[in-house]
Amino acid sequence: MGIIKVKNIRVYAYHGCLVEEGKIGSDYRVDLTVKANLAKSAKTDNLADTVDYVHLNKIVKQEMAIRSKLLEEVAKRILDRILIEIPMVKKATIEVSKLNPPIGGNVAMVTIEMSKSR
């Protein structure tokens, strides 16, 4: 078993419960970890035998572009797609962070973390 991490995917999106968040948008950070058997790709040196992190990044960007009130809902959609579209992934963990959230204080980010296994 091996782990592939895609860290600090930066996205501008329009998530949040406030109407203003849907109009103004904010910066987000997504960190993704997937577990898969990487033994074959380590031997073959073939992209078709591993988890393509370009595909992972594409899923994140496409799902982050769909407005949601809660980060949990966005994270679930991303995890679902990863497990549907990339059969060799056994487990995926995602962190979705809203940078500088509008919560009435000097807060760098709020983060939700979710995992899903096959």
Side-chain angles (χ1 to χ4, degrees), residues 56-80:
L56 294 171
N57 188 54
K58 177 182 166 189
I59 290 171
V60 168
K61 290 193 171 195
Q62 287 176 346
E63 293 302 324
M64 287 296 290
I66 301 169
R67 178 167 160 65
S68 294
K69 291 179 184 173
L70 300 177
L71 298 180
E72 292 89 322
E73 203 268 338
V74 179
K76 180 189 179 308
R77 287 198 324 261
I78 293 168
L79 292 172
D80 288 345

Side-chain angles (χ1 to χ4, degrees), residues 39-55:
K40 184 176 180 182
S41 61
K43 290 179 184 175
T44 66
D45 196 30
N46 187 341
L47 180 60
D49 294 331
T50 192
V51 178
D52 184 353
Y53 48 81
V54 173
H55 190 173

